[in-house]
């Protein structure tokens, strides 16, 4: 009996999903920038599962970020679903610099990423109040953009070694190496009010709350320099209306310092002494921040 390759491929995809492998989703809805969706569904999915959107670094891919982090093994334990998308443009860097990419529903990468989330919520009866985003380097830059342009979609965010939403606005490329060097070099310094105005302008008319954010940066980062941590914290503490309260040293590990804003539940920075680009992903800390 002859079975077509397309049928075999379909069977393989079904088996892969059942066994909790990373699988491709080709038709998830609006996809203006031709992103690639990869999803990890554990064999035992929680009732109303949470979703984590994991965003790769420049030159990376969803598959690479999936395999280099522990989110999938944690999903196996806890039953949440991971989405690891890929962008194939601008050296595989996310669109964090254009007008459409820094706007709500304007045809940027961000719109395609939200379509992936909406597809997952519908297909797996996921909990729309438990959608989270994280990423490293360009993925951290995009994490900041996602919570600025689609704040209603996400409950919380974590990210590693990125820049404030809007820092790269108007730059010709989205890569730290090809985009506005002033931003990556930590020379785009704004007032808190300027950052808040920039975020608000990305989604005019939005009056709801914004996601909680915890963001890490290494003091020895010579690709995306450490002043970018302060600018992110300036931006999001302004959005949340919280002020710096204290440093907590050697947390979550030796050499790391937490920069606590307000009561520490909405905005948290982590400075990693002597760490370069990028700060290693701290998955268990992410899950604590997400409440998973």
């Amino acid at each position: 009996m002859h079975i077509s390759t397309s049928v075999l491929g379909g069977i393989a995809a079904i088996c892969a999903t059942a066994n909790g492998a990373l699988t491709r989703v080709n038709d998830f809805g609006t996809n203006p920038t031709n992103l690639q969706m990869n999803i990890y569904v554990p064999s035992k999915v929680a009732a109303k599962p949470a979703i984590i959107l994991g965003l790769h670094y420049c030159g990376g891919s969803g598959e690479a970020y999936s395999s280099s982090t522990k989110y999938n093994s944690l999903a196996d334990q806890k039953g949440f679903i991971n989405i690891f998308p890929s962008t194939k443009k601008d050296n595989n860097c996310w669109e964090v610099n254009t007008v459409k990419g820094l706007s709500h529903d304007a045809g940027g990468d961000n719109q395609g990423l939200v379509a992936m989330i909406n597809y997952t919520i519908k297909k797996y009866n996921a909990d729309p109040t438990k959608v989270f985003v994280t990423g490293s380097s360009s993925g951290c830059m995009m994490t900041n953009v996602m919570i600025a342009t689609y704040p209603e979609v996400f409950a919380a965010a974590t990210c590693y070694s990125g820049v404030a939403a809007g820092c790269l606005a108007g730059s010709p490329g989205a890569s730290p190496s090809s985009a506005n060097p002033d931003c990556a070099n930590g020379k785009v310094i704004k007032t808190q009010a300027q950052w808040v105005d920039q975020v608000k302008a990305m989604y005019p008319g939005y009056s709801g709350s914004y996601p909680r954010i915890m963001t890490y940066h290494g003091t020895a980062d010579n690709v995306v320099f450490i002043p970018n941590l302060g600018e992110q914290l300036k931006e999001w503490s302004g959005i949340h209306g919280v002020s710096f309260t204290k440093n907590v040293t050697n947390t979550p590990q030796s050499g790391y310092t937490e920069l606590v804003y307000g009561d520490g539940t909405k905005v948290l920075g982590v400075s990693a002494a002597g760490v370069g680009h990028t700060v290693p992903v701290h998955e268990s800390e992410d899950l604590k921040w997400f409440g998973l």
Side-chain angles (χ1 to χ4, degrees), residues 1 18 23 26 37 39 53-54 64 67 76 84 87 114 118 166-167 169 173 196 216 238 240 247 256-257 259:
M1 183 176 75
T23 57
N26 291 318
M37 178 178 179
I39 193 168
L53 177 68
S67 63
D76 289 337
F84 289 102
T87 177
V114 168
N118 291 334
C167 183
V196 169
Y216 291 75
H240 284 285
N247 285 333
Y256 284 49
T257 300
L259 295 78

Side-chain angles (χ1 to χ4, degrees), residues 42 53 70 73 92 105 125 157 165 174 177 182 201 222 227 236 273 275 290:
L53 177 68
K70 299 172 185 171
S73 60
N92 293 19
D105 283 354
N125 192 32
S177 59
D182 287 345
N222 61 4
W236 296 111
V275 176
F290 296 157

